[in-house]
């Protein structure tokens, strides 16, 4: 496996046209985010506490980039939320795999504190927010979903995926189908430009924003040409995200992104190829070979697919040789059969019996 892993990690994903390694730039759900590593409770953060409001403080977990959203900006974010006193987690968009859309200045009353925090963040930033109950679920709390007790201060772990500056604060639900697809396509193109500059994390944020416009609730309503138009934007964003994840060596996440595309298009060559690469590096050789062979069926002339299959064949040949040497050294050469030692008492007894038999035959002839 070492030979395959070293070779594949050295191969860079090209952005040239005409190959399985390129990002998808042609043409006009689930948004992964980078999942929190520890799900046992609110993260422990040592950074400086920033007072945003009398009832809202923030500590940065990961720095973001660019500008901060202004009033009426449409923000897309992932978050987890706990009641501070009991550490009970009552909401997790990462787990639900669906980001929240929040328009600054038009948020629900119970999200006032969250909106204040998001308003202070940059794209890609992750932070821990402490929000007093007055700017959260209030004196009454919430006894439906989410279940939050009365007068509960709330802790939020928030990641701002990105935002759209729109003066009127137009949310996705208020857009026409063409407007949503167009907004997603612009995000995809921005992501492609960032990919070419090797700004992979920033590129993925743009792809995530594009996918957020093409959420499952939206896709379920589409059919015919509108569904084809949406998939022509959504699937390339998943595949381009997979390309970024491969370069970042986040192979399990790359496999997940490719599998989303293959659920819609089981014969997608790029999805099969990139999933095969991730599986091969993780040591899932049989599954990787299956992906590459299926991809080759639809792109028989693709040199990158042929190269990956060759690498797998060479790897398996090397493994066989190593196993052969191991077993040879373990058991050693086959020993030569040793001659059996003779029991001389039995030999003497057999000789005496033969002698007695000869004497008996000789005496018998004389008597005749």
């Amino acid at each position: 496996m070492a030979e395959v892993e070293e070779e594949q990690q050295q191969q860079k994903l090209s952005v040239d046209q005409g190959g399985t390694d390129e990002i998808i730039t042609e043409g006009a759900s689930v948004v992964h985010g980078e999942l929190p590593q520890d799900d046992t409770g609110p993260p422990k953060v040592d950074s400086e506490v920033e007072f945003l409001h009398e009832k809202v403080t923030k500590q940065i977990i990961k720095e973001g980039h660019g500008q901060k959203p202004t009033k009426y900006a449409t923000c897309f974010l992932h978050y987890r939320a706990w009641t501070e006193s009991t550490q009970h987690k009552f909401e997790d968009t990462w787990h639900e795999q669906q980001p929240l859309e929040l328009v600054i200045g038009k948020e629900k009353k119970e999200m006032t504190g969250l909106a204040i925090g998001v308003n202070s963040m940059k794209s890609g930033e992750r932070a821990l927010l402490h929000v007093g109950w007055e700017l959260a679920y209030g004196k009454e709390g919430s006894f439906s979903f989410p279940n939050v007790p009365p007068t509960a201060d709330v802790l939020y772990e928030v990641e701002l995926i990105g935002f759209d500056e729109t003066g009127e604060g137009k949310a996705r639900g208020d857009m026409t189908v063409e407007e949503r697809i167009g907004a997603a396509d612009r995000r995809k193109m921005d992501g492609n430009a960032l990919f070419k500059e090797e700004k992979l994390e920033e590129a993925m944020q743009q792809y995530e924003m594009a996918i957020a416009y093409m959420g499952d609730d939206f896709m379920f309503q589409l059919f015919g040409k509108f569904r084809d138009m949406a998939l022509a934007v959504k699937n390339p964003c998943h595949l381009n995200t997979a390309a970024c994840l491969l370069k970042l060596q986040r192979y399990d996440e790359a496999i997940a992104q490719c599998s989303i595309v293959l659920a819609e298009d089981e014969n997608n060559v790029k999805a099969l190829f990139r999933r095969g690469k991730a599986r091969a590096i993780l040591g899932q050789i049989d599954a990787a070979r299956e992906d590459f062979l299926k991809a080759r069926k639809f792109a028989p002339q693709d040199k990158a697919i042929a190269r990956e299959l060759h690498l797998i064949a060479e790897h398996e040949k090397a493994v066989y040789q190593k196993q052969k040497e191991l077993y040879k050294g373990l058991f050693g050469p086959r020993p030569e059969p040793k001659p059996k030692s003779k029991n001389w008492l039995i030999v003497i007894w057999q000789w005496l019996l033969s002698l007695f038999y000869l004497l008996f035959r000789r005496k018998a002839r004389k008597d005749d």
Side-chain angles (χ1 to χ4, degrees), residues 303-360:
K303 293 181 180 179
I305 297 172
R307 181 175 66 243
E308 296 298 333
L309 285 168
H310 175 72
L311 286 171
I312 286 178
E314 289 296 311
H315 160 69
E316 291 185 325
K317 182 179 178 181
V319 169
Y320 173 76
Q321 290 297 331
K322 286 181 181 179
Q323 290 176 340
K324 187 176 178 181
E325 292 297 321
L326 175 64
Y327 290 134
K328 180 180 178 181
L330 186 63
F331 296 107
R334 188 172 182 177
E336 294 293 333
K338 294 181 179 180
K340 294 181 180 180
S341 58
K342 295 181 179 181
N343 190 322
W344 290 105
L345 289 176
I346 294 175
V347 172
I348 293 171
W349 175 250
Q350 290 174 339
W351 180 78
L352 290 172
L353 286 175
S354 299
L355 180 63
F356 177 78
Y357 177 74
L358 291 172
L359 292 173
F360 176 79

Side-chain angles (χ1 to χ4, degrees), residues 29-34 76 78 94 99 159-162 172 187-188 200-214 237-238 241 245 250 253 257:
S29 132
V30 175
V31 178
H32 67 88
E34 186 177 352
F76 298 92
H78 274 301
W94 275 292
E159 180 173 341
L160 178 59
I161 299 170
R172 286 177 298 177
R187 288 291 182 178
K188 186 194 77 172
L200 302 180
E201 294 285 357
E202 295 176 31
M204 285 197 297
Q205 287 164 6
Q206 294 301 314
Y207 297 139
E208 289 173 23
M209 285 279 289
I211 294 167
Y213 278 105
M214 305 286 104
C237 287
H238 285 299
T241 299
L245 291 166
R250 289 159 56 180
E253 294 174 70
Q257 291 293 313

